[in-house]
Amino acid sequence: MITIVRDEEKTPFKSSSNPNLLNVSPKVSMRRLSRSNTLPRMPRLEVEGGATLDDLSTLSMEPSKVTRLRRWIISLVVVDFDIDYGPKVTGIYPPLQFSAQEESNIAFSSFPDSPQAESGSYIHSFRIRCPASVAQAAMDEITPGAEVDGFIYGFAHFTQRRDPKSKRGYQQRSLVILSQHAYPSLFYSMSSYLGEEFLSHGGPMLEVACHNVANWPDPHPSTTLELGFLGYVFTTDLPEASGAQLANALNKVQAKPDPYMHIIATLAPQQPPIIDALQSCLAHLWSIWECLILCEPILVFGTSAAMASQVVWWLRGLLHPIPLAGDFRPFFTIHDSDHSTLVNCRAPQAGLLLGVTNPFFNRACSHWPHVLSVGPSKKKATQGSANISGGPPLGWTTKTHKRHVSKDLVLLRKLQDALHRDERAQLEASEALREHLTSRTTAFLVPLQRYLNTLIPTHADPAPTPFPPARLKPFNENAFFASLKANGSPLPFKRSAKRKDFYEKWMRTRAFGLWLAGQEEVVNRVLSEPPSSALLPRTARLEPSRPQSARPVSPSGSVSSG
Amino acid sequence: MADASGSSADKSVQVKLVLLGEAAVGKSSVVLRFVSNEFQANKEPTIGAAFLTQKCRLEDRVLRYEIWDTAGQERFHSLAPMYYRNAQAAVVVYDVTKASSLEKAKTWVKELQRQANPNIVIALAGNKVDLVQPASAPSPTPVAESEDEADDATATPGEATGEQPESLRQVPREEAEAYAQEAGLLFFETSAKTGEGIVEIFTEIAKKIPIEQILASSRGGAGRAGGVGGRTGTGSQQGGVNLEENAAKGKDACNC
């Protein structure tokens, strides 16, 4: 007889264990996804433009389910190419009323902005200002504690395929997941499965997907959740909102034997391997990392929306755990309502990462200090299409930046070797690169944290009572540089003058202010706790890999039963 | 029994299990009884599929069922393969008071045998057996009669009528059991309402699942369910489970 074990899980959903029976990677790019051989196709494979609209209008969802859905996803949006209008929203499920401008913004962001020669499916993503309608409809329902930044994210599964019934002989359609959460890894995985199934099964797929998501536990940061979706189970880490725990989460994953179904929600999608896109600028990655840290604006020019957006997410990920100080747009088009705000004759905003494909931006952003043009160089050369795109030459171009820190030449050689090897080697090299640059971000913070720890009041200080509460002492630049000089930095700076220069530059960025405010908040919160925790100075140490809040890290205890 | 330690999670065997069957035969209720030991008289129809997990101990091994409870409505039929692909087990449910639901169950069994993992363990469950039992039968979980008008999807014939229980039965036990034997299925008559037969289904499936091979294949990295060899014995009725005792234990241990 079996014994039912009920004490492990309060609700049936959450567990940190790994569903390693599942054998299909959710992280594969669309081209690699193969449908199950057993899956019967609909008799009518082509879902026509009008059909979806009709399908969606017959779908309904109870308000309570919609509320639960919108903890994770705002809506699913279908965008079709209309010969008279261009990209046009043809369905929204569950329904949501957008203004004409908002709808047009979503429609244009969901379609490639440059000619697509090949048939097939591609996933790209975008970040747009949160529409007012969404703010009303969805933002009330956001789980407290989740990071919300006034933007929403779209994950678009774009398909182009022959359609003899269409005037132009092609069907072009995007299925878009709209969410308030910056969880690219999770939504790319969902998008790849959902997009393919939607092409075959139409409207009911959207209904099923939304009900699956409505059954998920709440998206609390610092949890590991099991998320059932279309017959798959995604074991998903939601790192701490500040990103401080990412390092821990990553270590956990390395110990797992099956990385395929384990998703760290805030990472960029891992396929295709990022070094493929970055191959023309591998030697400059250390300069690019410095520019990211120093909040320098970067124009990222991609040969496709998929590539541009993947690279922007990847760059953004290197900044963890430093708070995001600038705007980033994985895929930005000339139709975006923020176009004139972000791209104009003035100097670009600090920290702005703009992912584009349209050659227009090459001219419009000619006064920008840094341009990263990504794409596979060899293929382009053999096809002779490098000039057709009209974009800037491949590689890294900077007008102002001079590198402070030494490269890792061993790693560089490894990356270059991997380019000539199979995909597995490229994936491993890509992961090694990400780990290296992430560890540089952590190393960069070490001298700052070392100094900050000296500012935490100790028992020797005259603050014996909680009134007024003990607080972190003020940050003094000169004292920091004295500490830096005395203790050094784990980063291999070329010279000590370069080291001082680099930290000086960073302390003039907005990121420094945000980071310091975050650290002060953590310390002051710990210090102001009731006197029972008398060992404060020990527990208030600042380290990036430590949980910074009192919320439990384990999946249990923080998810409401559903 | 309730001693799941942190380490046991690592040793547990994941078993993907799918529930199939006509609308309103009680698939979700079977799962709800198994996972939460609860019963709702008028449960809303499932849309798409619900995902639940339940951990169980069988002798010295820990299994973790990943349960996909699918929708019975015909318009979702074409989506079912998403749920049964790579599943190691299936429970096909019919309603003993509705003859047509057994026919639907048979088509599901055929589809599974043709298209699912060739070694899938299939159990056939004739649900709502409480409706065809004498009224004097004790019911461990009395449920207040709902005043709500049951909609088509959840209407249960005879629930509110005074008909003789046995006359409601449209599927004789012998007939279904013979079919199950012939098709190589485990067979049970169940009641999600009283709990009868529910734990037994999952117990017998657990016994029949080739656990060692699942472990071996998942250690191999691929975790391919299709690579798992299996046995296809005939279903045997096992009387070893004292349901009432189990239900009570379940309640004690449940910290919901």
Side-chain angles (χ1 to χ4, degrees):
Chain A
M1 111 164 56
I2 53 171
T3 313
I4 298 175
V5 181
R6 292 196 197 274
D7 62 339
E8 178 212 24
E9 295 156 299
K10 196 161 146 197
T11 72
F13 300 105
K14 56 188 188 288
S15 162
S16 58
S17 65
N18 197 14
N20 49 13
L21 289 175
L22 294 155
N23 62 330
V24 181
S25 161
K27 291 176 181 165
V28 290
S29 62
M30 280 320 308
R31 277 165 296 171
R32 281 170 242 285
L33 261 189
S34 63
R35 289 163 47 85
S36 159
N37 293 331
T38 63
L39 200 58
R41 290 177 182 255
M42 297 272 277
R44 181 174 51 91
L45 185 63
E46 301 288 326
V47 180
E48 291 161 55
T52 303
L53 246 185
D54 295 339
D55 286 349
L56 295 196
S57 64
T58 64
L59 305 182
S60 67
M61 200 170 180
E62 290 169 43
S64 65
K65 288 268 185 184
V66 175
T67 303
R68 291 185 55 79
L69 171 77
R70 289 195 168 143
R71 296 166 306 151
W72 287 90
I73 284 176
I74 297 160
S75 274
L76 300 176
V77 178
V78 181
V79 182
D80 283 298
F81 190 83
D82 182 296
I83 289 175
D84 300 319
Y85 292 92
K88 193 180 175 192
V89 171
T90 51
I92 303 172
Y93 178 78
L96 197 60
Q97 197 61 50
F98 291 114
S99 74
Q101 197 206 9
E102 290 163 357
E103 208 166 279
S104 146
N105 209 12
I106 291 168
F108 277 105
S109 302
S110 302
F111 261 55
D113 196 17
S114 49
Q116 297 295 302
E118 295 172 37
S119 289
S121 295
Y122 312 88
I123 301 176
H124 75 267
S125 54
F126 55 88
R127 181 181 197 244
I128 54 174
R129 226 164 259 293
C130 183
S133 46
V134 172
Q136 286 157 10
M139 293 304 169
D140 303 342
E141 292 146 14
I142 286 172
T143 311
E147 199 168 30
V148 175
D149 55 9
F151 287 85
I152 62 169
Y153 301 85
F155 301 86
H157 180 275
F158 169 79
T159 302
Q160 172 168 289
R161 56 184 183 180
R162 288 198 169 279
D163 176 12
K165 277 168 271 167
S166 159
K167 261 191 236 170
R168 302 259 286 254
Y170 275 94
Q171 182 201 38
Q172 291 165 311
R173 158 174 285 182
S174 278
L175 175 64
V176 189
I177 299 174
L178 283 185
S179 173
Q180 64 273 40
H181 296 292
Y183 297 153
S185 200
L186 174 64
F187 291 123
Y188 269 71
S189 296
M190 289 171 65
S191 184
S192 66
Y193 288 128
L194 178 59
E196 283 295 283
E197 300 288 1
F198 176 64
L199 288 173
S200 310
H201 299 278
M205 260 341 284
L206 304 187
E207 194 180 7
V208 166
C210 287
H211 279 82
N212 279 173
V213 175
N215 282 332
W216 289 0
D218 289 343
H220 284 300
S222 312
T223 52
T224 298
L225 305 172
E226 273 193 337
L227 308 175
F229 190 67
L230 310 184
Y232 295 97
V233 181
F234 302 151
T235 304
T236 306
D237 280 338
L238 300 184
E240 176 127 358
S242 67
Q245 249 193 298
L246 209 57
N248 272 357
L250 295 174
N251 291 340
K252 240 188 334 188
V253 166
Q254 295 225 303
K256 297 253 176 193
D258 174 19
Y260 292 108
M261 294 308 282
H262 199 112
I263 293 171
I264 297 168
T266 49
L267 290 190
Q270 285 163 322
Q271 292 221 359
I274 199 79
I275 60 169
D276 186 49
L278 297 174
Q279 58 182 276
S280 53
C281 54
L282 291 178
H284 299 289
L285 284 166
W286 287 267
S287 296
I288 296 168
W289 174 82
E290 288 187 9
C291 287
L292 285 169
I293 296 288
L294 296 176
C295 297
E296 291 285 327
I298 301 174
L299 180 70
V300 177
F301 209 97
T303 47
S304 68
M307 187 175 284
S309 54
Q310 187 193 10
V311 168
V312 169
W313 276 113
W314 187 81
L315 294 174
R316 189 265 168 271
L318 299 180
L319 284 170
H320 290 298
I322 297 173
L324 188 67
D327 198 349
F328 72 103
R329 305 296 178 107
F331 176 60
F332 189 74
T333 75
I334 53 174
H335 307 281
D336 199 288
S337 51
D338 280 342
H339 179 238
S340 61
T341 317
L342 297 181
V343 177
N344 48 44
C345 59
R346 294 187 299 276
Q349 293 174 9
L352 177 60
L353 298 174
L354 204 65
V356 301
T357 61
N358 192 327
F360 163 85
F361 288 102
N362 195 25
R363 209 155 27 88
C365 301
S366 58
H367 59 296
W368 286 36
H370 320 285
V371 177
L372 174 61
S373 180
V374 295
S377 54
K378 282 173 214 132
K379 263 188 225 159
K380 292 211 65 144
T382 52
Q383 288 171 0
S385 58
N387 294 326
I388 293 173
S389 77
L394 289 172
W396 168 247
T397 314
T398 176
K399 293 173 185 162
T400 55
H401 187 71
K402 291 200 171 62
R403 195 158 42 81
H404 299 73
V405 184
S406 300
K407 302 174 187 177
D408 184 328
L409 294 172
V410 178
L411 178 64
L412 181 56
R413 172 117 354 114
K414 191 178 161 190
L415 300 176
Q416 283 162 342
D417 288 349
L419 286 175
H420 306 291
R421 295 174 56 203
D422 62 5
E423 193 194 26
R424 187 178 175 81
Q426 294 193 16
L427 283 171
E428 281 169 9
S430 296
E431 182 55 18
L433 172 63
R434 194 189 60 75
E435 279 170 19
H436 169 76
L437 293 175
T438 305
S439 74
R440 288 219 156 176
T441 306
T442 313
F444 165 72
L445 292 172
V446 165
L448 290 147
Q449 265 148 354
R450 185 194 296 128
Y451 169 69
L452 225 56
N453 279 327
T454 67
L455 301 181
I456 297 171
T458 62
H459 289 299
D461 293 324
T465 63
F467 302 105
R471 296 190 72 82
L472 196 65
K473 288 180 270 186
F475 189 99
N476 180 299
E477 227 172 275
N478 291 333
F480 166 68
F481 282 114
S483 163
L484 181 64
K485 199 170 180 183
N487 297 296
S489 162
L491 281 182
F493 282 101
K494 291 161 124 180
R495 287 184 302 278
S496 61
K498 286 259 183 191
R499 183 177 69 195
K500 184 160 190 273
D501 180 46
F502 193 70
Y503 280 98
E504 266 176 348
K505 279 181 176 155
W506 190 63
M507 290 186 324
R508 287 197 296 271
T509 68
R510 191 163 161 258
F512 170 68
L514 289 171
W515 175 82
L516 186 61
Q519 302 291 302
E520 279 176 340
E521 195 189 313
V522 171
V523 173
N524 292 341
R525 188 168 63 227
V526 175
L527 289 176
S528 63
E529 272 168 13
S532 63
S533 47
L535 303 169
L536 283 181
R538 301 292 165 269
T539 56
R541 279 187 67 83
L542 291 157
E543 283 175 35
S545 58
R546 285 255 166 106
Q548 294 189 347
S549 77
R551 188 170 290 133
V553 179
S554 74
S556 56
S558 56
V559 180
S560 68
S561 63
Chain B
M1 61 169 275
D3 60 346
S5 61
S7 62
S8 70
D10 306 322
K11 282 182 268 169
S12 67
V13 181
Q14 313 281 341
V15 177
K16 182 175 178 182
L17 181 147
V18 61
L19 274 97
L20 299 165
E22 194 174 84
V25 296
K27 295 179 293 299
S28 300
S29 296
V30 167
V31 178
L32 188 65
R33 171 62 73 191
F34 179 59
V35 172
S36 308
N37 200 22
E38 288 169 11
F39 179 74
Q40 288 173 24
N42 284 305
K43 213 172 172 331
E44 78 280 5
T46 305
I47 293 179
F51 169 67
L52 303 94
T53 63
Q54 179 62 59
K55 205 171 203 183
C56 308
R57 194 179 297 279
L58 174 70
E59 292 152 13
D60 58 335
R61 281 184 298 228
V62 179
L63 275 84
R64 202 155 156 283
Y65 281 114
E66 287 177 355
I67 302 169
W68 288 90
D69 170 28
T70 65
Q73 283 73 23
E74 203 51 40
R75 71 192 172 109
F76 293 117
H77 188 130
S78 70
L79 309 184
M82 289 195 308
Y83 302 108
Y84 65 64
R85 67 186 159 200
N86 300 336
Q88 283 92 10
V91 178
V92 179
V93 185
Y94 70 95
D95 176 351
V96 295
T97 68
K98 197 174 173 196
S100 67
S101 68
L102 178 64
E103 294 314 306
K104 181 69 192 174
K106 288 179 182 173
T107 65
W108 276 121
V109 170
K110 270 188 215 133
E111 181 169 338
L112 286 172
Q113 290 177 334
R114 200 172 60 241
Q115 304 210 60
N117 168 9
N119 304 305
I120 191 167
V121 176
I122 306 174
L124 181 68
N127 194 34
K128 304 194 188 178
V129 75
D130 57 283
L131 295 177
V132 300
Q133 284 163 343
S136 59
S139 170
T141 49
V143 177
E145 286 296 320
S146 169
E147 296 299 319
D148 296 350
E149 188 81 4
D151 68 10
D152 284 347
T154 54
T156 297
E159 180 132 51
T161 70
E163 286 182 68
Q164 282 299 308
E166 196 55 36
S167 68
L168 287 170
R169 187 186 271 276
Q170 290 189 3
V171 181
R173 182 188 173 101
E174 299 70 30
E175 178 195 331
E177 198 165 13
Y179 161 71
Q181 183 123 21
E182 187 192 343
L185 318 175
L186 297 168
F187 174 74
F188 305 88
E189 285 200 334
T190 60
S191 165
K193 187 171 177 178
T194 65
E196 179 178 341
I198 304 294
V199 175
E200 285 85 339
I201 302 177
F202 293 88
T203 304
E204 292 307 311
I205 288 173
K207 287 183 184 167
K208 213 172 155 186
I209 292 274
I211 289 174
E212 296 308 325
Q213 288 164 72
I214 292 176
L215 280 174
S217 76
S218 62
R219 267 198 298 272
R224 175 145 198 95
V228 177
R231 299 153 291 171
T232 45
T234 52
S236 64
Q237 279 298 103
Q238 173 89 17
V241 178
N242 181 333
L243 177 81
E244 306 230 9
E245 189 186 316
N246 253 284
K249 275 185 188 170
K251 251 176 204 149
D252 288 346
C254 179
N255 54 9
C256 300

